[in-house]
Amino acid sequence: YSIVQVHVGAQSRAAGKQIKDLVIPAGAVLIAVFRGEETIIPRGDTAVQEGDNVLALADEKAQAAINKLFGS
C-alpha cells in the first residue's frame, strides 16, 4: 500500500460528483480532500470539485484506478 495524491482536473470523471456516486476500488481508502487551504475528511456526501487534490491509501492495482477516476 502507498499513499497517493491525485489532482482533480477539468476532464476528471469525478469532478462535480459526490463520493457516494463514485466507484472507489476495494483496495483503496480516501483519506482527505484538499481544497485550497481547506482539508476535508471525505464522506459519502462530499462533492469532488475541479482543482481538488485527493489523498488516498491504495494498493498497487487500486492506484491506477484512483488515478484514472480522479485524474484528468
Side-chain angles (χ1 to χ4, degrees):
Y1 286 89
S2 298
I3 294 178
V4 294
Q5 183 170 321
V6 182
H7 180 76
V8 180
Q11 303 301 315
S12 170
R13 296 186 298 159
K17 295 183 180 171
Q18 291 185 326
I19 290 174
K20 66 182 178 185
D21 297 326
L22 302 175
V23 178
I24 306 297
V29 175
L30 300 185
I31 300 170
V33 176
F34 301 112
R35 183 174 295 147
E37 297 296 317
E38 187 178 7
T39 300
I40 301 163
I41 295 174
R43 310 230 185 264
D45 63 350
T46 302
V48 178
Q49 297 178 6
E50 178 185 344
D52 286 352
N53 285 294
V54 176
L55 192 67
L57 176 66
D59 65 20
E60 192 171 321
K61 183 178 176 183
Q63 285 181 34
I66 290 289
N67 283 319
K68 187 175 179 180
L69 176 63
F70 291 102
S72 52

